[in-house]
Amino acid sequence: MTVIAVRGACDTGAQVDVLETRRSVVLSGSVEGHQDGGSCTKQAKQQEVTVRLERPLDERHLLDARTGRPLRHKGASPS
């Protein structure tokens, strides 16, 4: 599955961790690192992150780890 993660302009990358259960898939985003020097702005950047699931999402709920709320996603069965 491909996730669109948001990171800061001076962060080196975004990371998405996944926890799978029988009924849900929980995604948790974090920042990998920070670049020193240069001029950092408050600008956010979107980054595609590939997340591998043990099995297809199918009817499981896709949830945000921080809020516990459902996440929007596009149809097909990601794997």
Side-chain angles (χ1 to χ4, degrees), residues 5-26:
V6 178
R7 63 180 181 88
C10 286
D11 296 327
T12 56
Q15 178 178 333
V16 178
D17 294 316
V18 62
L19 170 67
E20 292 187 64
T21 70
R22 192 169 54 97
R23 294 189 177 134
S24 65
V25 173
V26 183

Side-chain angles (χ1 to χ4, degrees), residues 41-68:
T41 65
K42 292 183 180 181
Q43 175 185 8
K45 291 187 172 186
Q46 291 184 343
Q47 176 181 342
E48 288 187 0
V49 178
T50 300
V51 176
R52 299 245 183 253
L53 300 181
E54 293 176 10
R55 62 186 180 91
L57 182 61
D58 290 332
E59 298 298 319
R60 293 187 289 172
H61 299 281
L62 187 60
L63 303 173
D64 180 300
R66 188 176 64 83
T67 65

